[in-house]
Amino acid sequence: MEKFTTLTSTAIPLDIANVDTDQIIPARFLKATDKKGFGNNVFRDWRFNEDQSKNSTFILNDPKYSGSILVAGDNFGCGSSREHAAWALVGYGFKVIVSSFFADIFKGNALNNGLLPIQVSEQFLAELMSIIKKHPGTQISVNLEMQTIGIEGAISETFEIDPYKKTCLINGYDDIDYLLSKTELIKAFEVQKTY
Amino acid sequence: MGKTLFDKVWDAHVVDSITNGPQILYIDKHLIHEVTSPQAFNELKARNIPVLRPDQIVATADHNTPTQNQHLPVKDELSRKQLAQLSENCKANNITLYELGHKYNGIVHVMAPELGITQPGMTMVCGDSHTSTHGAFGAIAFGIGTSQVAQVFASQCLLLTKPKSLRVTVNGKLKNGVLPKDVILYIISKLGTNSGTGYFCEYAGDVFENMSMEGRMTVCNMSIEMGARGGMIAPDETTYDYIKGREFAPKGSEFDKKVAYWKTLATDKDAQFDKEYVFDAEDIEPMITYGTNPGMGIKISESIPQETDASFKKSLDYMNFQSGESLINKPINYVFIGSCTNSRIEDFRVAASYIKGKQKADNVTAWLVPGSKQVEAQIIDEGLKTIFDAAGFELRQPGCSACLAMNDDKIPQGEYCVSTSNRNFEGRQGQGARTILASPLVAAATAVAGKIIDVTKAIETLEAV
Ligand code: SF4
């Protein structure tokens, strides 16, 4: 897993609530047996028209906006457990997703792939969204160590993250490494378990 | 202070706790399928890590499988490859697989309970969010991502932070024609799609106590649709009777010993929940959704509410519905009875009891897709297939089918489908498809009428369903 410490980037404002995993990556693209190539199909049915031409009204196709931060509406990532959603967002080039609320499984999947989900207050989200919409070139800074996100000289907020997950991201570790170091303990548990 | 059902099962499975961090939770049963497992197997292979407990894993092929001509090679090349990969991976790692055509094959959340794999007090995971289904037995069961599938392969454990507790109580007697699906759609319409996020939910009250195991599975299945990682119902005589005698159920004195333990699991009287909701059974009616998330549900007799926010409008635009309009008499061309929410024998019995002696409307394409080979066999044995055939319904072979439209069972662009599945997201049943979630009874009535009807009126003349 890639390490994550700080990031400064422009952002794409996806001002839609309840973005579900079927939108992030439709099921018909889940037939691959590796993790590659999902980025091409992220938000497939919003990015492309039926005739496969680009849908110019969708924000990801608006040349004004670019960057590795996606700022999305409330309750991002609800729906299925498909980690393909995280792979697709990472594959497209996103490193941070900002929303006022994340679905549980998506959040875990993102963290396991070095994609940082930042939960901010509704007010901060609204301000951030409106600033980016007005000034698409705005640089947003994220500092994982300090747990802050903001625009210099304008707005800033601290965010919560599980301390264990924070350490994993900063060092690029994953849970398998940790669990394998506990194999003896796990085997002892199997012998002694009470149920 | 007393413990909840969830606390009791969780605490019994904690191997270790990291200071200021998650806990290591031991997993008893790991279910896998073709779509979310290949990358996990690759990960292990690349890192040269063996599967720790292959005998605690059960695999099935369901998401990607065709529902016709299952005896022939799968036509779609990518699907065929994905299925072949599952077979190879299971073989290489000594994992039991019920592949396409096997008498135990089926949707993972239908076949596992049916085989007695699912038992009270267990921890169970699967790379599928509807793993919450198994909570109907008083198990802690939840969906995981592929990285976590790899973690369980490697260690039979997961690193998790204990979720908060939520209890939804429904007391009273359900009206005739109100099915478990209506109960859960009603709860989600009241609580919204993220009220459960960060929580594990227990369903309590006499409505659930009086429900069959099939009904309880329907309810727990959709816990994820209110954001909860899982749902649970305390095991009782209904649970033990269901498990007894099934293929992998404990046998003889072992079974009695287990039952004695299972009886200790129910939530203590003085246990506290972080959040509680109470509903009245009499307030629930047959439900239907009108939008693009499962929380957008109304009683079938009600009209679509008036709301002004942009996401609500976007959703109604997609569905081509107006605020304030009723869905009664909307013409519907597709009906799907299937998915891990409603593809058990009871669901087909209800549908058959309504359909018997009637004819499917000419404009409707109706797919009946059993959840497993065993359900399919039961449909035939009980004579339900004869009823469906006579009425012009098509009984297909088991699988996830039009629930997520990964195979050929797709609803065409712009068409409405009254579906017994669990998600009405944009494009879920096919690009541009419009999904209306409902119970098997409402789905059957729609197929017969060719449009949505107020089923409460239609069944007044029928015997209790
Ligand atoms: S039937 Fe639908 S919800 Fe259930 S496991 Fe299959 S795809 Fe998932």
Side-chain angles (χ1 to χ4, degrees):
Chain A
M1 200 170 77
E2 253 183 76
K3 295 181 185 181
F4 189 108
T5 47
T6 59
L7 175 74
T8 299
S9 166
T10 49
I12 302 178
L14 180 66
D15 198 358
I16 301 172
N18 301 315
V19 173
D20 59 71
T21 47
D22 277 82
Q23 295 332 310
I24 302 172
I25 184 84
R28 61 184 188 283
F29 299 115
L30 306 186
K31 295 179 184 177
T33 51
D34 58 28
K35 295 183 187 178
K36 290 189 286 272
F38 288 105
N40 297 334
N41 295 318
V42 75
F43 299 116
R44 180 77 201 191
D45 295 341
W46 285 345
R47 269 165 69 207
F48 295 92
N49 296 314
E50 242 183 286
D51 61 5
Q52 298 311 311
S53 60
K54 272 195 177 177
N55 171 8
S56 56
T57 63
F58 185 56
I59 201 84
L60 258 67
N61 292 331
D62 187 334
K64 283 205 296 292
Y65 301 105
S66 63
S68 49
I69 300 177
L70 181 70
V71 180
D74 196 51
N75 197 25
F76 186 85
C78 53
S80 101
S81 65
R82 59 185 75 157
E83 197 158 317
H84 312 67
W87 301 332
L89 290 162
V90 170
Y92 189 79
F94 290 116
K95 294 197 161 63
V96 167
I97 315 283
V98 183
S99 172
S100 47
F101 202 88
F102 289 95
D104 274 342
I105 307 183
F106 174 79
K107 196 172 173 179
N109 287 341
L111 288 166
N112 283 334
N113 287 279
L115 174 68
L116 179 63
I118 300 184
Q119 184 167 333
V120 295
S121 66
E122 277 178 27
Q123 195 198 341
F124 183 86
L125 183 70
E127 285 174 29
L128 189 64
M129 200 72 92
S130 97
I131 295 174
I132 311 167
K133 282 186 188 167
K134 268 191 223 131
H135 309 287
T138 308
Q139 294 286 332
I140 294 155
S141 298
V142 174
N143 185 324
L144 178 56
E145 186 63 51
M146 305 296 295
Q147 298 178 217
T148 56
I149 176 168
I151 300 167
E152 218 186 290
I155 52 170
S156 166
E157 195 169 86
T158 55
F159 60 86
E160 300 283 320
I161 180 166
D162 181 285
Y164 166 82
K165 274 290 161 198
K166 180 175 165 180
T167 314
C168 286
L169 276 176
I170 290 175
N171 297 297
Y173 297 158
D174 71 11
D175 291 351
I176 293 191
D177 298 323
Y178 184 83
L179 286 167
L180 283 177
S181 74
K182 298 286 178 186
T183 307
E184 289 317 309
L185 200 65
I186 294 166
K187 287 184 177 164
F189 175 88
E190 287 179 323
V191 177
Q192 292 159 12
K193 63 187 167 63
T194 50
Y195 54 89
Chain B
M1 198 178 71
K3 282 182 160 195
T4 65
L5 163 66
F6 178 78
D7 290 334
K8 292 182 190 179
V9 181
W10 178 279
D11 294 350
H13 288 81
V14 174
V15 175
D16 197 14
S17 303
I18 304 174
T19 329
N20 274 329
Q23 293 179 304
I24 302 179
L25 192 77
Y26 190 79
I27 303 301
D28 297 317
K29 281 278 161 355
H30 185 189
L31 309 171
I32 62 170
H33 61 83
E34 74 276 25
V35 176
T36 55
S37 67
Q39 291 87 350
F41 280 114
N42 291 349
E43 179 86 27
L44 254 70
K45 217 166 154 188
R47 294 164 75 164
N48 208 6
I49 304 169
V51 172
L52 184 67
R53 296 286 175 251
D55 53 341
Q56 283 167 248
I57 309 173
V58 178
T60 183
D62 55 2
H63 281 63
N64 219 337
T65 51
T67 55
Q68 279 175 317
N69 295 319
Q70 290 187 345
H71 61 289
L72 299 177
V74 175
K75 276 200 224 127
D76 181 90
E77 196 196 325
L78 287 174
S79 303
R80 194 172 61 239
K81 266 174 72 182
Q82 205 174 44
L83 293 166
Q85 184 87 59
L86 179 70
S87 306
E88 261 171 53
N89 284 333
C90 288
K91 208 164 154 209
N93 293 287
N94 289 319
I95 293 168
T96 305
L97 164 68
Y98 299 124
E99 60 193 341
L100 200 57
H102 191 283
K103 66 173 178 174
Y104 291 158
N105 175 261
I107 305 174
V108 60
H109 312 310
V110 178
M111 52 75 69
E114 189 173 75
L115 289 173
I117 294 169
T118 305
Q119 292 167 25
M122 278 185 171
T123 49
M124 298 179 75
V125 293
C126 174
D128 187 283
S129 57
H130 292 99
T131 309
S132 58
T133 311
H134 308 265
F137 291 79
I140 290 184
F142 54 92
I144 56 177
T146 297
S147 295
Q148 292 174 306
V149 171
Q151 289 162 31
V152 183
F153 281 163
S155 68
Q156 205 55 40
C157 286
L158 281 173
L159 282 167
L160 295 164
T161 306
K162 190 175 179 179
K164 288 186 272 192
S165 63
L166 155 71
R167 178 162 61 187
V168 175
T169 306
V170 188
N171 281 319
K173 196 175 171 308
L174 293 174
K175 291 180 192 161
N176 189 22
V178 175
L179 302 187
K181 180 66 163 286
D182 300 307
V183 175
I184 188 66
L185 282 174
Y186 176 83
I187 293 170
I188 301 167
S189 77
K190 293 290 169 202
L191 302 184
T193 50
N194 64 16
S195 59
T197 307
Y199 292 81
F200 227 86
C201 178
E202 178 172 342
Y203 301 96
D206 43 23
V207 163
F208 304 110
E209 283 162 25
N210 295 328
M211 225 175 238
S212 67
M213 284 318 293
E214 284 86 351
R216 293 179 191 182
M217 284 190 255
T218 300
V219 170
C220 290
N221 175 275
M222 290 192 71
S223 305
I224 185 81
E225 265 65 61
M226 56 178 175
R229 201 61 184 273
M232 293 175 99
I233 294 173
D236 58 10
E237 291 305 323
T238 308
T239 322
Y240 317 142
D241 287 348
Y242 180 96
I243 296 171
K244 198 170 187 171
R246 288 183 189 262
E247 181 80 27
F248 297 105
K251 306 267 149 45
S253 64
E254 188 55 29
F255 182 80
D256 300 332
K257 239 172 74 192
K258 282 282 183 194
V259 169
Y261 169 62
W262 296 340
K263 283 186 173 164
T264 67
L265 294 175
T267 294
D268 297 330
K269 284 223 161 54
D270 57 344
Q272 296 280 328
F273 286 81
D274 296 308
K275 228 162 56 168
E276 292 236 37
Y277 298 101
V278 181
F279 297 105
D280 198 343
E282 279 81 14
D283 290 340
I284 309 177
E285 279 173 31
M287 297 288 294
I288 203 149
T289 65
Y290 58 86
T292 56
N293 75 56
M296 301 174 84
I298 47 175
K299 293 174 184 168
I300 205 163
S301 57
E302 287 176 343
S303 303
I304 298 175
Q306 309 271 356
E307 274 179 51
T308 50
D309 76 274
S311 296
F312 185 85
K313 279 199 183 131
K314 181 177 182 298
S315 188
L316 286 200
D317 279 351
Y318 181 87
M319 294 300 291
N320 197 23
F321 288 151
Q322 316 296 322
S323 282
E325 92 177 312
S326 154
L327 295 188
I328 305 281
N329 290 328
K330 281 270 173 202
I332 301 292
N333 294 336
Y334 286 82
V335 168
F336 171 58
I337 302 185
S339 90
C340 58
T341 317
N342 285 119
S343 64
R344 297 182 181 81
I345 189 62
E346 211 171 71
D347 303 314
F348 292 101
R349 283 185 195 138
V350 167
S353 75
Y354 184 87
I355 291 167
K356 193 173 184 177
K358 301 190 181 74
Q359 275 298 316
K360 178 184 74 63
D362 287 339
N363 61 311
V364 173
T365 303
W367 294 331
L368 308 178
V369 182
S372 69
K373 287 295 273 183
Q374 295 209 70
V375 173
E376 182 188 35
Q378 233 172 325
I379 289 174
I380 297 167
D381 285 352
E382 293 185 12
L384 308 184
K385 185 176 186 301
T386 322
I387 298 173
F388 296 138
D389 286 348
F393 286 76
E394 184 186 357
L395 182 67
R396 295 198 157 207
Q397 291 170 299
C400 293
S401 178
C403 171
L404 89 167
M406 252 187 107
N407 66 1
D408 288 339
D409 306 348
K410 294 178 172 50
I411 309 302
Q413 177 88 24
E415 289 286 350
Y416 292 105
C417 177
V418 170
S419 173
T420 66
S421 55
N422 43 48
R423 287 189 176 139
N424 50 356
F425 297 153
E426 282 185 32
R428 170 83 180 181
Q429 296 196 289
Q431 263 177 288
R434 294 167 169 150
T435 303
I436 296 168
L437 302 176
S439 75
L441 174 63
V442 170
T446 306
V448 167
K451 57 184 187 177
I452 296 175
I453 58 164
D454 188 349
V455 71
T456 46
K457 298 209 175 94
I459 57 167
E460 269 165 15
T461 50
L462 277 180
E463 53 197 287
V465 291

